[in-house]
Amino acid sequence: MSYYTRIAALRDKRGLTQEELADLLGISRAALSHYEKNRRKPDFHTLTKLSDFFNVTIDYLIGRPPQLLDNNVNDHIPIHSLKEEDIFRMVELRWEGLLLTTDETKKVLNIVQKKNQL
Amino acid sequence: MSYYTRIAALRDKRGLTQEELADLLGISRAALSHYEKNRRKPDFHTLTKLSDFFNVTIDYLIGRPPQLLDNNVNDHIPIHSLKEEDIFRMVELRWEGLLLTTDETKKVLNIVQKKNQL
DNA sequence: AAAATCATGATACGTATTGTAACATTTATG
DNA sequence: CATAAATGTTACAATACGTATCATGATTTT
């Protein structure tokens, strides 16, 4: 219920001060401090700027726990006529909230391929 | 800049009225209408309830355009010591914002495997 | 097709939340 | 341990929110 955003952790990881990040995003340091301490909630625009900057999803940013993979109903996926670009768009691998590059994705998919288990 | 949430579209897809969805989520119909028309912005808790209900990310829900896969720096991924469960956690395939089930994911990964192109 | 019903959009206002500046406290450094 | 740098906190004006209510639009019924 009471989320803790991961802004502070992400910022620390990059060795930025509140003031530096605030300037980069065009917001005040006080506001950023409030966000990190969960006293204030950034609006969508700021959320997006933060997510873009750190290359994470908003879900990750606000500390939303990951969803489970089952109990879902996707009737409309044309699984057998997926084009390569469709698949490319679907595959978004992340590690601790961070998107993998194309290269990294390739490597992981190769492992999947070898293990042949999923 | 000015996002349009996909709440209305997702709700319509399920054939729900504003009142029905509002009741399911424990919010007022007026509030929901405001969210759909981008006159008000739901708080994190409501955002999460909506995302959980529709099984989509918050990013998708608020209409954030998808991120690109390149220009990223993930130095810390232990690619060669990934356990199967690690990979499982990483693989979150989506189609129009909706998470794929394990079965569907298997199928798509099988296609990837055959095309052997990614 | 008019009346009635249902669904959604819009407004106004009391309340709650936000942003900012200023001050306080904590942490790092010479 | 004194100073500076970084972060935390408070108070208040400005903004945004939730709700009730009314307005409009869309279906249904007869």
Side-chain angles (χ1 to χ4, degrees), chain A residues 66-74 118, chain B residues 14 51-56 88-89 91-94 98-106:
Chain A
Q67 300 169 284
L68 293 177
L69 272 175
D70 281 308
N71 312 324
N72 207 349
V73 213
N74 270 339
L118 285 178
Chain B
R14 301 227 181 171
S51 295
D52 283 345
F53 183 82
F54 290 120
N55 249 298
V56 300
F88 224 165
R89 257 205 310 278
V91 175
E92 284 195 6
L93 300 186
R94 293 174 180 281
L98 275 130
L99 266 174
L100 269 61
T101 65
T102 306
D103 266 11
E104 290 158 347
T105 304
K106 279 184 197 170

Side-chain angles (χ1 to χ4, degrees), chain A residues 3-6 47 51 56-67 94 97, chain B residues 47-48 51-52 55-62 64 92 94:
Chain A
Y3 289 110
Y4 252 91
T5 79
R6 302 193 229 228
L47 272 179
S51 295
V56 300
T57 62
I58 292 175
D59 300 73
Y60 181 86
L61 195 75
I62 73 172
R64 182 181 180 217
Q67 300 169 284
R94 292 175 181 279
Chain B
L47 272 180
T48 302
S51 295
D52 283 345
N55 249 298
V56 300
T57 61
I58 293 176
D59 301 72
Y60 182 85
L61 195 75
I62 73 172
R64 182 182 180 215
E92 284 195 6
R94 293 174 180 281

Side-chain angles (χ1 to χ4, degrees), chain B residues 7 9 11-12 18 30 33 35-36 42-45 49 53 61 66 72-73 78 82 84 87-88 99 111 113 117:
Chain B
I7 300 173
R11 178 175 61 75
D12 284 343
Q18 287 184 347
S33 172
Y35 301 153
E36 294 188 352
D43 63 20
F44 286 176
H45 185 220
K49 282 197 290 189
F53 183 82
L61 195 75
N72 208 350
V73 212
L82 285 177
E84 205 151 328
I87 295 176
F88 224 165
L99 266 174
I111 293 172
Q113 188 174 340
Q117 281 285 18

Side-chain angles (χ1 to χ4, degrees), chain A residues 29-59:
Chain A
R29 188 198 65 81
L32 180 55
S33 173
H34 286 315
Y35 300 153
E36 294 188 352
K37 284 287 160 191
N38 267 46
R39 297 171 160 284
R40 303 280 191 277
K41 162 184 67 117
D43 63 19
F44 287 175
H45 185 220
T46 305
L47 272 179
T48 302
K49 283 196 291 189
L50 281 161
S51 295
D52 283 346
F53 183 82
F54 289 119
N55 249 298
V56 300
T57 62
I58 292 175
D59 300 73

